Amino acid sequence: MTVSIHEDYDPGCISLVPIFSDLSLQEMGEVAAITRERHVSKGETVYFAGKVSKELFVVHQGRVKISRITESGKSQVLRVIGPGEFTGEMSVLHEMPRTDFAEALQDSTMCVIPGDALKSLMKRFPSIALKVLEELSTRVEQLQARLEQNQHSSPEYRTARAILDLSGGSSELTLPMTKGDLASQLGMTQETLSRKLSLLQEQGVIYQPGPGVIHIVDRPGLEAVN
């Protein structure tokens, strides 16, 4: 399939996604031609676990939480994705029921790509398939590292490390999720997370001026928490 691309053509979220970065503007246009836009409100479920859905979901605007239900029946946050990041690829590749579910953390816009069309694109453009594999490998490594960290490191260390990672080098950050979701991702209760944040503030390494906002006052001190 070939589409006509004008000079002012904007491929939107397609151009934000690393797996499509090696495509030409014309080829991105072909991807965009099979993509539909979906708007989801804050708190709305993008997809449910247990269902087979042959679609790849790409975040164009907003943030989406990916979670799963543990054997004990609790919801565990796996990751939070933002613009240019995607989810749903495993169900597309293996045509198996989803093992996680996705929920919008804020009003968001998703670009939805049909699975069969995505597979055809992978055959035509091998770079897409390779980058999907690279992304999956990175996620597995990150998940393994987080599981090991949650099992073998202190709640203080996990809290400090999360602040540093989320700050992106800035001295101020607004949490991209609720404290409950962050606590779930770090393998602790919300009450424990709140206590550790208060302790870090008492130690003078951070300051919390308001809900969900953290100022890093002493970065070396925060990095030294163990």
Side-chain angles (χ1 to χ4, degrees):
M1 176 180 62
T2 302
V3 295
S4 177
I5 307 298
H6 299 289
E7 290 184 359
D8 60 351
Y9 172 73
D10 179 8
C13 67
I14 300 304
S15 63
L16 298 176
V17 188
I19 63 173
F20 300 129
S21 62
D22 287 343
L23 302 184
S24 67
L25 188 62
Q26 179 75 32
E27 292 164 344
M28 284 188 184
E30 295 186 37
V31 179
I34 61 170
T35 301
R36 65 181 176 85
E37 194 173 80
R38 177 181 171 187
H39 299 281
V40 289
S41 302
K42 179 179 179 180
E44 182 179 346
T45 299
V46 179
Y47 62 76
F48 293 91
K51 291 189 175 182
V52 177
S53 176
K54 301 178 183 179
E55 295 174 316
L56 183 76
F57 296 87
V58 181
V59 179
H60 187 195
Q61 296 175 327
R63 301 188 75 82
V64 173
K65 173 179 65 175
I66 312 300
S67 308
R68 68 177 178 185
I69 302 299
T70 65
E71 292 182 357
S72 62
K74 295 182 179 180
S75 175
Q76 180 182 30
V77 178
L78 300 177
R79 63 187 186 278
V80 173
I81 60 175
E85 297 179 296
F86 60 90
T87 185
E89 68 288 336
M90 294 304 292
S91 187
V92 169
L93 296 175
H94 298 290
E95 298 185 7
M96 297 174 61
R98 298 188 185 279
T99 58
D100 54 28
F101 61 95
E103 177 187 330
L105 290 176
Q106 54 191 234
D107 292 347
S108 304
T109 301
M110 311 286 291
C111 293
V112 185
I113 304 175
D116 290 340
L118 180 62
K119 287 182 178 180
S120 296
L121 288 171
M122 287 180 174
K123 292 178 181 178
R124 291 184 56 202
F125 309 117
S127 66
I128 295 178
L130 288 174
K131 291 199 173 186
V132 167
L133 290 176
E134 289 175 1
E135 173 65 19
L136 292 179
S137 176
T138 298
R139 288 185 190 175
V140 169
E141 290 177 359
Q142 291 175 340
L143 181 59
Q144 289 177 335
R146 184 181 304 130
L147 289 174
E148 183 174 345
Q149 178 177 290
N150 289 353
Q151 290 176 350
H152 302 294
S153 62
S154 68
E156 291 83 1
Y157 175 84
R158 278 176 269 159
T159 302
R161 178 49 52 187
I163 295 172
L164 291 167
D165 290 343
L166 291 171
S167 72
S170 174
S171 61
E172 179 180 336
L173 72 99
T174 299
L175 294 179
M177 62 190 90
T178 66
K179 281 187 179 180
D181 287 339
L182 179 58
S184 172
Q185 192 172 38
L186 297 178
M188 64 181 78
T189 65
Q190 182 174 342
E191 291 74 17
T192 297
L193 176 61
S194 294
R195 287 198 302 270
K196 300 311 173 185
L197 288 171
S198 296
L199 178 60
L200 291 174
Q201 181 165 273
E202 291 172 6
Q203 294 172 343
V205 294
I206 68 168
Y207 171 61
Q208 301 178 86
V213 180
I214 298 175
H215 291 181
I216 299 177
V217 179
D218 179 4
R219 182 172 290 272
L222 191 60
E223 292 173 342
V225 173
N226 53 37

